Amino acid sequence: MANTQDFNLQTPTWCPGCGDWGIGAAIKSSFVQLGYEPSDVCVVFGIGCSGNMNDFLKAYGLHSLHGRAIASAVGIKLANNALPVVVIAGDGDSYGEGGNHFLHACRGNHDITVIVHDNGVYGLTTGQVAPTALHGAVSKSTPSGIIEMPISPLALAITQGATFVAQSFAGDMHHIVDMIKLGIQHKGFSLVNILQPCVTFNWKNNYHYYFKHSYKLPKEYDPTDQDNAVKTASAMMQESFPLGVVYETSRPSYHEQIVRPEKESSLEDLLNEFE
Ligand code: SF4
């Protein structure tokens, strides 16, 4: 059985104190606890500080184009339905450049797990605001404060058809491990949005901020109540961040619904078709 060191590649180059450290360690622990060897799982990385994990995590991996991690993961899952496929990307990659792919992966209920490092900035390009930046956030690209309202990723996922939506916090590794394991075990599209302080470029959303503004969902919370889940998720716009499984339901995933031809075409059949 593998241990977390079996998933190590190079030593990470993240800034000291970055939330990516905790998330990276939690992802390895999750894989070990699920009984995976590095060759049992395929990980698709976006572009950004989180995507640099491509060099730090040993597994079947693809470092995709910016905003195209989810689309690549969907393709891999369609080609090999039995392979667990995990996306590791930032909020810019997932909800900005890749926002269209995110919506369509939710509505298709593609059986992949998307782990988002949600830090509100483009850290790799030195700190421009990203889609979850709070209204008024000051950055290099918004010196007078961002005018737009933040995206509410959990509400977006729930309303677009995702069947598992959870949130965690980079300062609580055990909680991240629990959420990732549940997300991967879920059959269908699963989102694990992780609140991740960027200690270098996002001075507002630091560890102290999230300790103050996040809360664990109580035991009596019902994640199957969609209306309440949307309400709970939308409260993030008012700086109240739920931690836990916010929404979960069950419906067939995309690949389970594909109607296969009775007889698979051979290469020869295909060539004959085009003669
Ligand atoms: Fe982490 Fe921000 Fe440094 Fe990137 S720039 S490694 S997100 S602290």
Side-chain angles (χ1 to χ4, degrees), residues 35-226:
Y36 294 161
E37 300 286 334
S39 58
D40 290 338
V41 56
C42 181
V43 187
V44 184
F45 300 91
I47 300 297
C49 294
S50 55
N52 285 352
M53 204 187 299
N54 181 67
D55 297 328
F56 319 143
L57 177 69
K58 188 176 174 189
Y60 281 124
L62 172 72
H63 206 168
S64 74
L65 298 175
H66 201 26
R68 304 294 175 256
I70 292 175
S72 306
V74 165
I76 292 167
K77 188 71 188 185
L78 288 175
N80 186 348
N81 301 166
L83 184 67
V85 181
V86 174
V87 171
I88 296 175
D91 60 303
D93 203 289
S94 306
Y95 310 136
E97 288 81 359
N100 52 347
H101 298 300
F102 178 77
L103 298 183
H104 294 287
C106 288
R107 66 188 269 264
N109 198 27
H110 289 277
D111 187 18
I112 61 174
T113 300
V114 178
I115 299 171
V116 178
H117 297 228
D118 178 359
N119 60 17
V121 291
Y122 290 93
L124 196 64
T125 49
T126 69
Q128 300 78 13
V129 280
T132 59
L134 296 172
H135 179 64
V138 173
S139 74
K140 283 184 180 173
S141 58
T142 54
S144 308
I146 184 170
I147 294 168
E148 294 102 323
M149 294 301 288
I151 281 204
S152 177
L154 310 186
L156 193 61
I158 296 165
T159 53
Q160 297 309 308
T163 48
F164 180 94
V165 177
Q167 183 156 260
S168 193
F169 167 49
D172 187 345
M173 257 188 67
H174 294 297
H175 191 263
I176 303 174
V177 171
D178 289 345
M179 294 302 109
I180 291 176
K181 279 166 53 189
L182 288 172
I184 292 175
Q185 286 166 334
H186 175 81
K187 298 292 169 213
F189 184 89
S190 52
L191 169 68
V192 181
N193 191 69
I194 306 178
L195 306 168
Q196 179 242 310
C198 168
V199 294
T200 304
F201 294 114
N202 187 335
W203 307 288
K204 176 164 180 176
N205 303 116
N206 52 27
Y207 289 93
H208 179 72
Y209 171 88
Y210 283 122
F211 279 125
K212 191 169 167 203
H213 289 273
S214 66
Y215 66 97
K216 291 231 173 96
L217 290 167
K219 277 199 177 71
E220 59 273 19
Y221 179 83
D222 176 10
T224 64
D225 181 341
Q226 190 181 38

